């Protein structure tokens, strides 16, 4: 499983058209949405064979560049990953560092929280993983 650009040892993996990095997709959508530039599916449609197995980190960097080209700078991001397993606390520093590298911001500006489903719903029964992100942008134009 790849999460936040970091390979994690796990007996399951996410399924998607690209490398299915749930967290990086949420960050990409947050940036594009905050700049009113559409969403990840518009920028990287799953109907385009070029996006099959694509590195989500590369997708995030392209989206971040579009945000910059639109006259914004990333102030910070705040993310939540919902997963029963694997436990993410030991991986948080590496994930925060990787997100910071991909976005060109200091790791102190990357918030990351992990939540379990406590046995309820698709997340709690270990059927799904979800991620949410909020991005704060500043106009530099």
């Amino acid at each position: 499983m790849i999460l936040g650009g970091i390979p994690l040892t796990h007996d399951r993996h996410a399924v998607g058209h690209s490398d299915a990095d749930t967290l990086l997709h949420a960050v990409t959508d947050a940036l594009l949405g905050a700049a009113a530039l559409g969403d990840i599916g518009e920028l990287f449609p799953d109907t385009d064979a070029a996006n099959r197995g694509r590195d989500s980190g590369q997708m995030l960097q392209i989206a971040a560049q579009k945000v910059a080209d639109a006259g914004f700078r990333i102030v910070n991001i705040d993310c939540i990953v919902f997963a029963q397993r694997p436990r993410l606390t030991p991986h948080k520093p590496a994930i925060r560092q990787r997100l910071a590298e991909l976005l060109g911001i200091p790791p102190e500006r990357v918030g990351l929280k992990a939540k379990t489903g406590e046995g309820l719903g698709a997340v709690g029964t270990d059927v799904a993983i979800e991620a949410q992100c909020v991005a704060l942008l500043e106009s530099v134009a």
Side-chain angles (χ1 to χ4, degrees), residues 15-40:
V15 177
H17 189 70
S18 66
D19 67 8
D21 187 323
T22 306
L23 178 55
L24 292 189
H25 287 208
V27 176
T28 301
D29 262 338
L31 292 176
L32 291 171
L37 295 174
D39 63 40
I40 193 170

Side-chain angles (χ1 to χ4, degrees), residues 97-132:
Q97 181 63 41
R98 183 64 182 140
L99 283 167
E101 289 168 3
L102 288 167
L103 296 173
I105 62 175
E108 306 80 59
R109 294 188 182 181
V110 177
L112 178 61
K113 298 176 285 298
K115 305 290 180 190
T116 67
E118 307 231 347
L120 300 174
V123 169
T125 56
D126 205 21
V127 174
I129 184 170
E130 298 176 8
Q132 297 175 354

Side-chain angles (χ1 to χ4, degrees), residues 71-88:
F72 296 98
R73 126 181 136 78
I74 302 166
V75 175
N76 66 23
I77 60 169
D78 187 25
C79 308
I80 307 170
V81 176
F82 300 88
Q84 193 66 31
R85 295 182 313 123
R87 293 292 185 180
L88 298 179

